[in-house]
Amino acid sequence: MVTLTNVKFVIRELKVDSAMPVIGLVLFFFLASVTTVSADCGPGFSGVRELTKKTPSYTLSTDEGSFQVFCYSGEAASPFLLWSSVTVRVKSLDGAPTIYVGHNKSEVCQKQNQQNLILYWLMISPDKVSLPPFERSCVGVEYASTTYIGLDKKAINVWSPACLVFGLLIFSYASTLSRNVLFYYSSGITVGVLASLLILVYMLSKLVPKKSGAVVLLAAGWSTALYLLQHMYLNLQSLLQGYLPYILGYLAVAALVSFAVCYRYGPVTNERSLDLIKWGIQLIGLTFVYNGTQLPAASLTIILLAVLWANIPERLAQAVRYYWRTWFPRKIRRLTQEEYEQQAREETRRALEQLRQFCNSPDCNTWKTVSRLEKCSPVRFAKFVEGDSHLSEDEVCAYDSEVSFDLPMEDSFEEDESFVSSNT
């Protein structure tokens, strides 16, 4: 069994030279993370309570102890609860309590006993935790003042179906997004802003005189960056209220630098690189799909169907689309008389404009076009090409007279019909 005493003994036996302190420190971090601790709860433990429909909330006081474990038994797996959610909210009157989550009481107590280890120094306790709705889970709360704990259950969490649909869309349009310039710059700027904390850690490592110290700082760079991101997320409201100008300035500078880097190298054009980007986008989409439901079996089934559909042969896909349109035809709305006349005028105007542009272009053979004219004189056609109307004055007058002749006929027919109906 690995204990902290064994870790200290191993470090003492290491020879001290320029690189050994770094190796010893890294080894200490690793062994401390796997150190076996007791599964018994520490002092102040007052027992285990169940969170159910009858008792969904509790109020804790220091008279009862300083550490309690609450367990949720879970519900039977059902397809009607694919998007359900279970959340435990914790509120304290004085300071934020420390929360430990596990599958049972022993795991929770084991995490409580690990709080003095190095890897738990940077631990931040949120005011709410999400639990799997179909599994038994336990939450340990370590508090120093009156604390309220409550169970919040939702049959449909809107974020779950949104996550599922978003993942399917990303997976379906991965090929298009990998070649889209706007997506290239927006994703590059986003990654640059999020990775700027790690860049700051790298710049700080340049100030460390010894190479070993820089290695240690870089080894903990991602952990430090993740800790800062988590701290900013949990305290986002207070940070925005007190440091809004500085935050906006920092984001603007990081975005401009990221845009400059993306503009310097330009969009990716290599086909193999584009394939790697597409596969990365698809992997991100499948990750969203997997987290889009509370049943892993349902998520894996959707992922399998999406992968099979993406790799289906084109002939089979066309056959499926054909039979789908045959069995479920789309309803086509017919045009009204006014819409038909409006569309006819618009299409006629557009076709005449395209003809005029072609005749004015170098691709048009003028003599060959004039020789094909039968009912139109070359002079009239030349005037049309120069911008005149395609109708003559006689044709316009004949059309107006025909329309004006049809209208009285319709009016008289309506008058005769009304006269007959009134007499009868």
Side-chain angles (χ1 to χ4, degrees), residues 44-282:
F45 177 66
S46 58
V48 180
R49 297 182 179 181
E50 294 290 333
L51 292 171
T52 60
K53 293 182 179 180
K54 296 182 179 180
T55 56
S57 61
Y58 292 93
T59 302
L60 310 179
S61 62
T62 54
D63 299 336
E64 302 174 358
S66 60
F67 180 71
Q68 288 193 18
V69 177
F70 300 88
C71 292
Y72 173 71
S73 59
E75 298 184 2
S78 172
F80 300 101
L81 299 176
L82 283 178
W83 298 315
S84 61
S85 64
V86 177
T87 305
V88 176
R89 301 181 182 274
V90 181
K91 295 182 180 180
S92 179
L93 299 178
D94 185 15
T98 306
I99 301 175
Y100 309 93
V101 182
H103 292 88
N104 47 51
K105 173 237 177 187
S106 300
E107 185 176 347
V108 171
C109 294
Q110 185 176 1
K111 290 185 177 181
Q112 184 206 15
N113 294 327
Q114 288 178 337
Q115 65 178 338
N116 294 325
L117 297 181
I118 294 178
L119 295 184
Y120 285 83
W121 285 357
L122 301 179
M123 184 178 61
I124 298 177
S125 294
D127 57 353
K128 62 180 180 179
V129 291
S130 298
L131 302 179
F134 307 122
E135 299 178 4
R136 181 174 177 81
S137 304
C138 294
V139 177
V141 181
E142 192 172 11
Y143 54 95
S145 61
T146 302
T147 303
Y148 170 82
I149 180 170
L151 183 67
D152 184 12
K153 296 174 60 177
K154 294 182 180 179
I156 297 179
N157 186 3
V158 294
W159 291 108
S160 295
C163 183
L164 177 63
V165 174
F166 181 70
L168 291 175
L169 289 177
I170 289 181
F171 180 82
S172 302
Y173 293 95
S175 180
T176 304
L177 292 175
S178 63
R179 302 174 183 272
N180 187 275
V181 178
L182 179 61
F183 179 80
Y184 166 76
Y185 282 103
S186 59
S187 60
I189 292 174
T190 303
V191 173
V193 172
L194 294 178
S196 58
L197 292 176
L198 188 61
I199 296 175
L200 291 177
V201 173
Y202 174 77
M203 295 176 63
L204 291 176
S205 67
K206 294 296 184 179
L207 303 177
V208 180
K210 293 183 180 181
K211 185 177 180 180
S212 59
V215 172
V216 173
L217 189 59
L218 286 178
W222 275 112
S223 300
T224 306
L226 292 176
Y227 169 76
L228 293 176
L229 288 175
Q230 186 183 13
H231 182 76
M232 288 188 297
Y233 173 75
L234 295 176
N235 301 276
L236 183 61
Q237 184 176 1
S238 60
L239 288 174
L240 291 177
Q241 292 178 352
Y243 305 96
L244 182 59
Y246 301 100
I247 294 176
L248 293 179
Y250 174 78
L251 293 178
V253 172
L256 288 176
V257 173
S258 303
F259 175 79
V261 173
C262 294
Y263 181 79
R264 166 64 180 81
Y265 291 97
V268 180
T269 56
N270 185 269
E271 290 297 329
R272 294 181 181 272
S273 300
L274 289 174
D275 289 338
L276 291 175
I277 295 174
K278 182 185 72 173
W279 296 336
I281 296 173
Q282 288 180 336

